Structures are given as C-alpha cells and as structure tokens.
Amino acid sequence: MFGGLILATTAVGTWLVSDLAVEELRKSTSRNLQEVAVQLRDKIEIDLHERYSDLSIAAAIASQSIEGDQSISVPTLLNALQDTFPSYAWIGLVSPVGTVITSTDNLLQGVDVSARPWFREAAKGPFLGDAHLAVLLESKLDNPSSIPLRFVDVAVPLYRDNGDLMGVLGAHLYLDWVASIGQSLLAPLQERLQAELVVADHAGTILIGPPDSIGQAIPDSLADATNQSPSGYVTDSMTAGGDPNEQAEYLIGFSRLRDRDEYASFDWRVLVRKPAAEAFAPANDLRRTLIASGFVVSLLLILFASFAARWTTRPLLKMTEEARHLDPD
C-alpha cells in the first residue's frame, strides 16, 4: 500500500514539476527568438532613418552647390555617398521636370523618370518607398543571383530660397542590405539559435528569407498575429522550401516596423524562425529526463519503504512466532 502511494504521489509530482519546467523552457526559447526579432527591427528602422538623413543632408549640400553655380561638386558628392554605404544601388539628381541631371556612374543620365512613383512623391515632400522590382536599372546593374533585383526608394526635394522646386535627389537601396543586417546580428547567435531571418512586406509577401521562399505569402494566421501585436511569438506552419505545399511547423519570433513619418507605409514583419522540433527539443529532453528521474526515485522509495516496513515489523513477527510455540497448558 505504501509503495502504491509513493508511486502515485511521485508520478503526479514529477508530471507537475516537468510540466512547469518544460513550459518555462519553451517560453524562454520563444522569448529569445522574439528578442532577436525586435533587435533586427530596431536595426532596420535605424538604417532606414540614417539613409533618409543621408539624402536630406546631401540634398541640402547639393542645393547650396547649385545655387552657388558649383554643380560640378554634385557628382562627387553622390559618388562619395555611395562609397560610404555600398548598398546604394543608384543615386541621382533629377530636374523639376523629371530628367536625370547627374548620377552615380552616370547611370540613367538624361533619362526621363517623371513617371516613377518616387519622383512624383518626392516632388511634394520627402519620400521613403517600399520594396519594389527594378524597372529602369534591371539591365544596367550586375545581379549574380537568380533572384530579381529589388530596391527601397529614398527621395527628397531640393528647393530654392524662394521655395520653388529645384529638383529631386533620389536613391535606390539594394533590398539585400536587410539580409546583411540579419547576418550581422544573427551570426554571433547562430551556434545557439540556428534560426532564419524572414522579412515580409505589409501584404505578407516574403521579401527576405530562404531563396525558395521569396515571393510567397506568410500564413494568414501569422499575419493576423503580427497585426495584433508589435512583437511576440507563435508556433505556425510555414513553407519550408520551393513547394508551397511543403509545410513545416516553426517557432516564430516576430516584430513589426513601428509607424514613423518617413516609412509609415512599410509595415514590414520581421520574423526569426526555427523548426519547432528543434526549438522544443531541449524542453522535450528535459521532460523525459524528469520523468525517468521520478520513476527511478519512486522505485528507490518503494524499496526503502519495503525495507523500513520489514525492519519495523520484525519484533512483532518474532513475538507472533514465539506465541505460536507456547504450550497452552
């Protein structure tokens, strides 16, 4: 009876303890991915703001240079800006009517870009545009990968002292700069995390991620989760390869770019994902270890209870045995 009570009590206690410990370990793993997603989001936001500041400062210098009839320094300024941050694919000064006056490496010089959204918007005020495919530059820039080039637009207006539009300074950023941010932040943690960076746009289309996943949509349930909270973590199914039907369960830490005047329309989702089986493997190992330990402890306690019971009842058994041999006369 004591052995049965010990076994039942130990089993219940072990299960409760293992459940609490495993749940805490799962939360810790999930929060780690969430924190990395938040760090990546912050870094992307900082870089976007810095690129916006770069163009704003360059526009102010270019305005002064042109007003002072020193336009010869503008190409030098644009090339220096590109050298400082190589992820600028192209930087150009455009006339008020939309003709490229000068640009880095003379690309698109003399071309009419008045129909481009970044020019139309920048003619009204500073503009930072969401990721898009290359249109005019596709055939003019090297692209060693099979993935089409995509850019983020930064453009600011140049004004004369009287407030008239002098031109627009526009730049295209390689979208791969986001992947570089992910590599720089994830690399020191990869031995522990073994996670992947995925960036999806406001519509849920993957911009950055494993090559086979680019252009595919994230699940609606994941998109809803990122819409409901600026950061968090979920377990959801995502495409594991080029086949959209090939789904795998992932633990996903997520964060969303916060609204800011410069890039209010971006609403990118920054995801850090890891296969759920790998992410929760330590927690499952801990559960098995605790259950096995509880089973061994319960057996030891049963043996101890049996030994204690025999030791305690030995005098009584001896007295009983002696009483049987007493002569009733």
Side-chain angles (χ1 to χ4, degrees):
M1 182 181 67
F2 278 117
L5 288 173
I6 289 171
L7 186 61
T9 303
T10 305
V12 172
T14 300
W15 181 262
L16 290 175
V17 170
S18 68
D19 210 40
L20 291 172
V22 166
E23 184 61 26
E24 192 59 35
L25 186 55
R26 281 174 171 252
K27 285 182 179 178
S28 176
T29 303
S30 303
R31 287 172 185 148
N32 283 341
L33 294 184
Q34 177 186 352
E35 288 171 3
V36 174
V38 169
Q39 291 174 15
L40 286 167
R41 177 204 64 190
D42 292 346
K43 177 58 176 169
I44 291 171
E45 287 183 346
I46 290 171
D47 266 32
L48 282 171
H49 183 66
E50 286 179 350
R51 304 292 74 77
Y52 172 80
S53 299
D54 284 349
L55 264 287
S56 298
I57 294 171
I61 296 172
S63 298
Q64 295 175 359
S65 178
I66 295 171
E67 286 281 15
D69 294 327
Q70 298 174 353
S71 56
I72 189 65
S73 65
V74 173
T76 304
L77 173 66
L78 302 188
N79 287 320
L81 196 58
Q82 188 180 46
D83 291 340
T84 303
F85 192 75
S87 289
Y88 281 118
W90 178 86
I91 310 172
L93 178 63
V94 185
S95 72
V97 296
T99 303
V100 178
I101 300 171
T102 184
S103 64
T104 51
D105 298 326
N106 296 321
L107 290 177
L108 304 183
Q109 194 160 323
V111 174
D112 183 3
V113 297
S114 59
R116 305 305 305 144
W118 61 266
F119 174 80
R120 294 201 307 268
E121 293 298 324
K124 307 171 190 174
F127 174 74
L128 205 159
D130 207 344
H132 64 87
L133 293 172
V135 177
L136 299 176
L137 289 173
E138 177 68 38
S139 61
K140 300 181 183 298
L141 295 172
D142 292 334
N143 182 15
S145 71
S146 58
I147 301 171
L149 291 175
R150 289 161 301 159
F151 300 123
V152 170
D153 297 328
V154 187
V156 293
L158 282 69
Y159 295 109
R160 299 187 185 279
D161 292 338
N162 60 7
D164 291 340
L165 182 67
M166 183 189 302
V168 168
L169 185 63
H172 296 323
L173 277 166
Y174 287 114
L175 187 60
D176 288 347
W177 122 85
V178 179
S180 300
I181 293 175
Q183 283 183 338
S184 64
L185 285 179
L186 284 176
L189 307 173
Q190 277 297 57
E191 185 175 348
R192 176 171 57 90
L193 285 181
Q194 296 297 311
E196 293 178 320
L197 168 66
V198 176
V199 177
D201 65 13
H202 64 282
T205 303
I206 295 177
L207 302 173
I208 298 291
D212 292 339
S213 68
I214 293 174
Q216 297 181 13
I218 62 174
D220 292 339
S221 54
L222 177 56
D224 291 341
T226 59
N227 287 334
Q228 292 170 7
S229 176
S231 69
Y233 55 84
V234 295
T235 303
D236 207 338
S237 296
M238 289 187 71
T239 301
D243 184 0
N245 297 320
E246 185 184 346
Q247 299 281 313
E249 197 79 5
Y250 285 93
L251 173 63
I252 306 162
F254 67 83
S255 187
R256 194 178 70 244
L257 260 66
R258 293 164 292 191
D259 286 344
R260 196 164 183 165
D261 291 342
E262 301 98 294
Y263 44 83
S265 63
F266 273 45
D267 202 23
W268 284 357
R269 283 92 163 183
V270 181
L271 315 174
V272 179
R273 73 179 192 178
K274 183 174 184 176
E278 294 180 18
F280 295 137
N284 295 331
D285 291 343
L286 176 61
R287 184 190 295 278
R288 285 190 289 268
T289 300
L290 289 174
I291 290 175
S293 299
F295 180 72
V296 171
V297 169
S298 65
L299 288 180
L300 292 175
L301 289 175
I302 290 172
L303 291 173
F304 176 77
S306 176
F307 173 79
R310 288 178 180 275
W311 181 78
T312 303
T313 59
R314 186 179 299 165
L316 294 176
L317 293 174
K318 186 175 182 181
M319 289 173 61
T320 302
E321 186 67 24
E322 290 176 353
R324 286 178 182 169
H325 294 84
L326 289 176
D327 187 353
D329 297 332

